[in-house]
Amino acid sequence: MTPHRRHVAAVVGANSASEAILAAAEGIGAGLIGAGFRVATGGLGGVMTAASRGARQAAGWTEGSVIGVLPGLVAAEANPFVDVVVPTGMNYARNTILVAMADVVVAVGGGSGTLSEIALAWQHGKPIVALDLGEGWSARLAGERLDHRRDDLLHRAVDAEEAVRLAVMLVGSREGSRGF
């Protein structure tokens, strides 16, 4: 990685989630900013708002630290904590853009949209942290391999702090092994 480029962590999860999932997403957003990442989400509600809010309220936040990659073309649809809005007009295909721009993907609960983001991250060779709070696809897939394409697993985290620690470790290990 060049010295001026900050890593991007994509936080993926559903528009609708339990209070426990939302609290964890907020903690993950704040922790990732504290660890020096930019935080990218799908820019809408639920987990995306919680992660964006946590990131925006973190002590290390600076303008441009919170990115929202929207499915539609209307920038005003982004949650109020997003600094940089990327309106794609691509509906679910925007998941590919979100995953492609990330150095690590952190899955928090989630439904079928999150499942697609996890699968895309797997296919793109992105390290994945899956939060296991007993809800959603992140819990169902934590500690698993999706298929034969990769030898690693979805790294299981049991809380926000562990998710951030794993994201930092995974990005660091990729830099060392691939020259990022």
Side-chain angles (χ1 to χ4, degrees):
M1 179 179 96
T2 56
H4 64 278
R5 183 181 169 273
R6 288 174 30 208
H7 288 293
V8 175
V11 180
V12 300
N15 244 334
S16 177
S18 71
E19 288 303 315
I21 291 289
L22 295 176
E26 190 167 334
I28 289 168
L32 289 167
I33 292 294
F37 286 89
R38 292 185 195 277
V39 172
T41 72
L44 299 176
V47 165
M48 297 169 278
T49 295
S52 298
R53 179 176 46 247
R56 184 74 179 260
Q57 294 174 350
W61 172 84
T62 57
E63 184 69 35
S65 294
V66 185
I67 304 161
V69 182
L70 302 182
L73 290 171
V74 181
E77 292 176 353
N79 73 63
F81 305 101
V82 171
D83 299 320
V84 177
V85 180
V86 182
T88 68
M90 297 178 68
N91 202 356
Y92 293 112
R94 72 77 146 82
N95 294 352
T96 302
I97 295 169
L98 178 60
V99 167
M101 70 188 296
D103 296 298
V104 61
V105 174
V106 181
V108 184
S112 62
T114 305
L115 177 60
S116 75
E117 290 160 328
I118 291 169
L120 287 164
W122 186 263
Q123 291 170 323
H124 286 264
K126 304 289 181 164
I128 306 163
V129 176
L131 185 66
D132 185 357
L133 293 183
E135 300 178 44
W137 281 106
S138 68
R140 291 173 71 176
L141 295 173
E144 299 291 329
R145 283 179 65 208
L146 293 189
D147 63 22
H148 66 281
R149 296 171 206 224
R150 292 172 56 170
D151 293 329
D152 62 333
L153 306 171
L154 276 77
H155 299 269
R156 180 178 181 267
V158 297
D159 58 29
E161 294 78 18
E162 186 176 20
V164 171
R165 183 185 60 74
L166 285 168
V168 169
M169 183 212 45
L170 290 166
V171 169
S173 69
R174 285 175 60 92
E175 285 181 354
S177 65
R178 298 187 187 190
F180 284 96

